[in-house]
Amino acid sequence: MSRVTQIRTLMALVGGLFSILAFAKPVELDEISRKEVAERIAPVGSVCEQGEECAANAGAVASAASGPRSGEQVYNQFCTACHTSGVLGAPKKGDTATWEAKLSAAGGFNNLLGSAIKGVGSMPPKGTCADCSDEEISHAIEFMSGLKP
Ligand code: HEC
């Protein structure tokens, strides 16, 4: 083999290798990324088998099935922590005078509801009931204040 032929053979080999790599690499990546994308876009609920306890959607299913929780239920689970003893200056349950004053300061029930939803002063948004609907928050305010919307 002449030197020129040797170099040509070598170049052909290297070229061939590159083209194999060029085709092999993207295919490999495609498969990985397709799997990753499928996993990432899979709905969270799909992990739960029918008839199985599933922590992720148990709450959502329960509230969808039974309708809005009562003011008492929401209060006892979330609001009582502050509104029973009045910690951090929270208006106490059943303290009608304070609630009446709050009502006129806010300028109506809807404004009280609005600040309870957004949070006000040391009170966290929705009084820590993150999955409460506006209606459920409204019920809880009625329950603890005796005020009507
Ligand atoms: C971590 C303590 C805490 C929890 C839990 C909490 N609150 Fe409060 N809440 C407060 C405090 C403190 C205030 C007084 C805020 C202020 O006026 O600065 C307040 C005030 C309010 C007010 C009056 C708002 C106003 O504009 O004067 C409403 C209505 C209210 N809370 C509703 C609720 C409801 C409903 C829940 C339960 C879903 C709840 N809170 C849970 C601490 C709490």
Side-chain angles (χ1 to χ4, degrees):
M1 245 194 260
S2 75
R3 212 173 173 88
V4 173
T5 324
Q6 273 180 344
I7 290 170
R8 280 201 185 130
T9 313
L10 197 69
M11 279 170 72
L13 274 174
V14 170
L17 254 175
F18 270 120
S19 53
I20 289 168
L21 281 176
F23 281 104
K25 257 286 174 17
V27 169
E28 213 179 302
L29 280 177
D30 266 0
E31 266 162 28
I32 292 167
S33 54
R34 235 180 280 134
K35 236 182 89 190
E36 273 179 2
V37 168
E39 276 170 9
R40 281 180 203 168
I41 63 173
V44 177
S46 69
V47 193
C48 305
E49 297 291 332
Q50 203 179 1
E52 252 182 24
E53 258 310 305
C54 181
N57 36 4
V61 170
S63 75
S66 55
R69 287 164 284 192
S70 73
E72 186 175 2
Q73 281 175 308
V74 172
Y75 179 84
N76 286 336
Q77 197 177 345
F78 299 98
C79 322
T80 184
C82 300
H83 286 273
T84 296
S85 57
V87 292
L88 308 164
K92 288 193 204 171
K93 176 181 182 301
D95 181 354
T96 313
T98 303
W99 278 110
E100 293 286 353
K102 289 274 177 196
L103 181 70
S104 47
F109 189 95
N110 268 340
N111 296 339
L112 277 186
L113 175 61
S115 46
I117 291 167
K118 275 189 290 170
V120 53
S122 325
M123 167 154 158
K126 293 191 171 182
T128 68
C129 181
D131 71 344
C132 267
S133 65
D134 294 359
E135 190 186 355
E136 289 170 327
I137 297 292
S138 176
H139 289 166
I141 297 172
E142 262 189 86
F143 177 77
M144 73 167 111
S145 67
L147 302 170
K148 293 275 164 218

